[in-house]
Amino acid sequence: MAAKDIFHDAVKHALKKGGWTITHDPFFLSFGGVNMYVDLGAERIIAADRGDEKIAVEVKSFVGPSATTEFNFALGQFLKYQLALEEEHPERVLYLAVPVDAEREFFRLELPRRLIERYNVRLLIYDPEEEVIVKWQT
């Protein structure tokens, strides 16, 4: 199992503050002969007549020396997890959690923005200091 991202607990607390119940930490997937661990699984009841929402969240910090390198790795993970979830847990929606600073400084650049659009990467933008979700970008 991979090590937790440095902001793992901040995102976990932010989800709890937002009314989510953490169901998996980490969320185990096995697909195509490969075992994988998405950082978090969560769910929340929307309303009695609508059931519940289920998500999986891959947490990234983007604190390393190269945002491009971290993005390359994160996008590859996201696409791998997305395929596995579609096949094994189609009720669960995958999000890539990124800190608000990275979203402002890197994710608004043309290349990352276009890749996110092309591959339908859902972003969960969080504030690691306040431990809150700033925006859900679908």
Side-chain angles (χ1 to χ4, degrees):
M1 183 168 27
K4 290 182 180 180
D5 186 271
I6 63 168
F7 293 142
H8 178 95
D9 288 336
V11 173
K12 186 175 172 178
H13 295 147
L15 286 167
K16 287 179 179 179
K17 285 181 185 178
W20 292 88
T21 300
I22 304 303
T23 57
H24 302 82
D25 184 5
F27 185 85
F28 175 75
L29 282 170
S30 183
F31 178 74
V34 177
N35 292 335
M36 300 167 263
Y37 296 89
V38 182
D39 288 320
L40 296 166
E43 63 183 49
R44 71 175 174 179
I45 296 175
I46 304 169
D49 60 337
R50 288 183 50 205
D52 60 358
E53 287 181 292
K54 294 183 180 184
I55 61 173
V57 179
E58 181 60 22
V59 180
K60 295 297 175 206
S61 63
F62 283 87
V63 295
S66 171
T68 300
T69 300
E70 290 193 47
F71 179 68
N72 291 344
F73 183 71
L75 181 60
Q77 272 188 309
F78 183 92
L79 295 174
K80 177 177 69 175
Y81 296 160
Q82 182 67 33
L83 178 62
L85 283 168
E86 287 172 0
E87 295 294 321
E88 300 297 320
H89 300 275
E91 75 286 358
R92 202 168 285 273
V93 177
L94 180 62
Y95 284 86
L96 178 64
V98 299
V100 67
D101 289 346
E103 190 269 338
R104 269 195 308 262
E105 296 166 13
F106 181 76
F107 281 79
R108 293 183 187 178
L109 298 174
E110 184 177 2
L111 182 60
R113 184 179 48 77
R114 290 184 63 184
L115 286 166
I116 286 166
E117 289 171 5
R118 170 158 304 170
Y119 295 108
N120 194 29
V121 177
R122 292 169 202 84
L123 297 177
L124 182 160
I125 292 91
Y126 65 92
D127 182 327
E129 293 176 14
E130 297 294 322
E131 296 186 342
V132 295
I133 305 302
V134 175
K135 179 170 66 170
W136 297 84
Q137 183 176 314
T138 56

